[in-house]
Amino acid sequence: SFWDSYAPEIMTINLPSGSYDTEDLIFSNPSKARNKEVVIKGEGVALSYISPASATLTFENMVVRISDISLSSSTTLILVNSELYIENSKVSNLSSRDSLVFVEGNSILESTSQTSLIDSKLTSRGSGLVIAKSSGTGVNLVRSSMSIESATIDNSVSGGVGILVNPTSSLMVTGNLNASGSSFTSVLSVDSNGTLSLRDTSLLIEPYSDTAIYSKGFIDIDSSNIIMSNNIANGIVLDVGAVISFQNSVIGSSSFFPDIGIN
């Protein structure tokens, strides 16, 4: 309620070790220039917790920086035309619209339903990103783009899709992408007119799964390996309308391999 007249335009909230309760909060900046900023700092992802019975934190036209803290699964984070910077933190139930998300350090994106990006862009740097999947889809990209250097998709509910690339959305992966936990229906799924690029990537699938990559869209795989710790049914499934560029790359190994490489 103080944003219209409050100065300075950066508010820092320091949360020492402990658990913190909150009700629903809305930070609404009247200017779409994103000229107001909220910084939430803890003492460590395993030390400082925002853990209400149930609460939604909404940021509109804001810059938000979250570091060294955990938002429990009972917390929902909503972005509207905002920028979110996550560093060494766990963020729960993220829903982003018309926003930019930047992830660094050992950070976790978890959701009781799915992490949802709509008309947004997510960029992850480093190798510490964990996508905690606890329902049908881990990350849902709707008219959005996602770029990750390295990450782990940890599946606690059997089946479903790790990252779903909807029409006109894109996913680029460089480095290592590990699929762990329970089995996947497909680790990565690309809908019509969606785009997936794997460049110098190692996609490691630890549990038995039906398919590594399912696509109706465009796939570009270059200098990458799809490897597995168990035999799986399909390496890549190309459905109607799919286009693939596959070069200098390998599916499976002499130890573990799919029943069908490209179906």
Side-chain angles (χ1 to χ4, degrees):
S1 59
F2 294 98
W3 275 126
D4 285 346
S5 58
Y6 190 78
E9 293 186 340
I10 298 177
M11 182 173 71
T12 300
I13 304 170
N14 291 303
L15 299 177
S17 297
S19 179
Y20 297 88
D21 194 7
T22 181
E23 297 178 348
D24 293 348
L25 295 175
I26 299 175
F27 295 85
S28 182
N29 178 12
S31 171
K32 292 187 177 182
R34 303 175 184 168
N35 58 351
K36 292 183 181 294
E37 183 172 330
V38 174
V39 180
I40 304 174
K41 299 172 65 174
E43 290 192 355
V45 70
L47 297 174
S48 298
Y49 301 89
I50 296 177
S51 184
S54 177
T56 298
L57 308 181
T58 302
F59 299 90
E60 184 173 2
N61 305 329
M62 302 288 299
V63 174
V64 188
R65 300 183 188 274
I66 296 175
S67 61
D68 299 301
I69 197 165
S70 292
L71 276 65
S72 73
S73 58
S74 58
T75 309
T76 297
L77 186 61
I78 297 177
L79 301 177
V80 181
N81 188 45
S82 294
E83 296 177 25
L84 172 63
Y85 297 82
I86 304 169
E87 184 176 7
N88 297 321
S89 296
K90 182 174 76 171
V91 171
S92 298
N93 304 310
L94 172 63
S95 177
S96 171
R97 183 181 294 274
D98 299 311
S99 298
L100 302 175
V101 181
F102 303 91
V103 184
E104 290 188 340
N106 296 316
S107 294
I108 300 171
L109 297 177
E110 73 161 11
S111 178
T112 55
S113 56
Q114 61 186 14
T115 296
S116 177
L117 300 178
I118 302 172
D119 297 313
S120 296
K121 181 178 181 180
L122 186 148
T123 302
S124 174
R125 303 188 185 100
S127 59
L129 173 62
V130 175
I131 299 168
K133 174 185 170 300
S134 57
S135 65
T137 302
V139 176
N140 187 28
L141 301 178
V142 179
R143 301 182 303 277
S144 297
S145 64
M146 183 173 182
S147 175
I148 53 181
E149 288 185 354
S150 292
T152 296
I153 305 173
D154 185 27
N155 187 16
S156 60
V157 176
S158 182
V161 177
I163 301 176
L164 175 58
V165 184
N166 282 288
T168 70
S169 296
S170 65
L171 170 64
M172 172 172 279
V173 183
T174 59
N176 298 322
L177 180 59
N178 297 336
S180 62
S182 299
S183 63
F184 294 79
T185 301
S186 61
V187 177
L188 305 174
S189 182
V190 185
D191 207 340
S192 302
N193 296 316
T195 302
L196 169 66
S197 297
L198 302 182
R199 297 293 180 92
D200 299 305
T201 299
S202 175
L203 172 56
L204 170 60
I205 304 171
E206 295 179 0
Y208 172 83
S209 298
D210 183 78
T211 300
I213 300 171
Y214 169 87
S215 179
K216 291 183 177 180
F218 304 96
I219 304 178
D220 181 15
I221 300 177
D222 188 2
S223 304
S224 299
N225 296 321
I226 301 173
I227 54 180
M228 50 215 68
S229 299
N230 294 277
N231 294 343
I232 68 174
N234 300 281
I236 300 172
V237 172
L238 302 178
D239 208 331
V240 175
V243 177
I244 185 170
S245 171
F246 187 86
Q247 56 189 346
N248 302 323
S249 300
V250 175
I251 302 175
S253 68
S254 58
S255 301
F256 300 105
F257 43 86
D259 296 335
I260 299 174
I262 298 178
N263 192 352

